[in-house]
Amino acid sequence: MKSMPTGEYDVVVLGSGGAGLMTALAAASRGLSVGVFEKTSLIGGTTAISGGGIWIPNNHVMHASGFEDQETDGEIYLARLTLGETDPNLLRDFLKAGPEMLRFLERQSDLRFFSVDRPDYHPGWPGARAGRSVEPLPFEPEMERTLFQKLRYSHLRQPVTSTEGREGLAPEIIAERRQRNVRTQGAGLAAGLVQACARLGVQFHVDAAATALSFEGGCCIGVETIAGSASARAGVVLSTGGFEWNSALVSAYLSGFSSAPTTPPGNEGDGLRFALEAGAAAANMTEAWWTAAYRIPEDVLDGKPLTRNMVRELALPGSIMVNRKGERFVNEASSYNDLGMAFNAFDPGSFSYPNRPAWLIFDNAFKTRYAVASISPEEPAPDWMVTAGSIAELAHKLCISAEGLSATVGRFNAYALEGHDLDFRRGDDAHGLYYGDSRHLPNACLAAIGVGPFYAVEILPGNNGTKGGLKTTSLGEVVRHDGSLIGGLFACGNVAASIFGKGYPGHGGSLGPILTAAYKVGTEIGANRLR
């Protein structure tokens, strides 16, 4: 492809996360010139610091690994997940295009995938299956150094796949991968997409925040950025991420919800604001990809407080999560999105959110057996990890009910001995057991909280990005309130409303539909340009 003068493209993409990169790749594979404009100094967005899982039912990778699935199973499962609130045609479009997207990605890039041997997040529901989540194999980028240095990656993740992380990998292999700059999980996915885009001539512009969209005759024809103007002959694609770092938008649409985002701070809803100003409709605005989270004092990402997901510690045997009454309030081993929604429960009687604050409670045996909140078993408890010699003292230090916490621990310990949680059924399904300790019997997720010292870590109602955004067609075209289209304007990723509503189907349940939608957007723009 011939390089185009800076600022003149067939397609302009705002944002360089998974959605923006996939759109650029799909459009460039059709022979279109593409310019990707990234607000921050690094390429990859939220995708690059994520687990990199991609949830796609009935895909060829899972079939090759021996997992069975069919499209109708996905329809049944997603109908239940979305509570009937999503247009079934949008779900069917995703189920048809998702496997095609994954094959396209393997054809157009050096990325290869494996099927993660884990169940959907609701394994007992009709249509649920195992193996639908795929993840990149370790990826060693081959690109010019200046571009490689612009790749975002998480310093919190080792260069291992999720499976290797669970099973353990020899330190010398990890060290060798670091030396070779091998990328895994979300960092590997982003690096593979960037490499494939660069080979097709996609131009990347960093530190190039957009300031406005350009219109002519009601049609979007380009963008204004702090680096200058960029025209788009075929379309402008918004893939700027969610609005979780914009306090005004969070206050307006997630009123009352504490926002502790785990994403890069550049996700301030820029594309959403631009499109709303142009008359676009929005949907699903009160939802996010919820999670339990924690913060380590003075830990930052891009100059803002760094929030980390907490997942496995909640499911491993010997811990509980309690509210200010000292009571458990959710199955700690449920999916992080479903668990995260429990923080938003409102009690009319007390006129408060009773599950805020929340605390992870565990004993010395747990502390010396498992890594907790990034602290290894060998490390001493840091100052921010509350420590006490008794359950009553711990409750006092946390300013929560000592009677409530003592009763909760006693009740939980009885369940642990029996191997069955009568209150929340923790460890009763395949999903919960996936994060448990298979060496522990009779239940991989249940163990008594016994001998002190006892510890607590504050758990925040976090999110991995917002799920509400612009209303689009199945081809990513941005829709006005009256149902008409804003010509030349497309959206995909967290800037667009999620087709899953409140739900989260399985590992990679955000990236699966996002990448599929982006693939369709890039392909559609390319097809229209060539007609």
Side-chain angles (χ1 to χ4, degrees), residues 341-396:
M341 287 191 284
F343 291 110
N344 300 326
F346 185 78
D347 177 25
S350 63
F351 209 74
S352 67
Y353 295 96
N355 301 329
R356 307 179 192 172
W359 300 87
L360 179 75
I361 307 294
F362 51 100
D363 64 8
N364 193 57
F366 190 91
K367 166 70 180 68
T368 56
R369 187 181 303 124
Y370 306 116
V372 183
S374 77
I375 305 301
S376 71
E378 297 78 22
E379 295 179 271
D383 292 341
W384 50 265
M385 189 177 285
V386 182
T387 307
S390 68
I391 290 294
E393 181 188 0
L394 188 67
H396 177 73

Side-chain angles (χ1 to χ4, degrees), residues 219-257:
C219 185
C220 189
I221 60 169
V223 301
E224 297 294 328
T225 79
I226 60 174
S229 301
S231 62
R233 290 179 286 269
V236 171
V237 182
L238 304 176
S239 55
T240 51
F243 59 86
E244 62 272 13
W245 283 94
N246 186 312
S247 59
L249 290 174
V250 168
S251 177
Y253 294 109
L254 301 177
S255 181
F257 296 173

Side-chain angles (χ1 to χ4, degrees), residues 405-422:
L405 182 58
S406 295
T408 295
V409 170
R411 186 178 179 89
F412 182 79
N413 286 352
Y415 293 159
L417 292 175
E418 297 172 359
H420 183 56
D421 174 13
L422 296 179

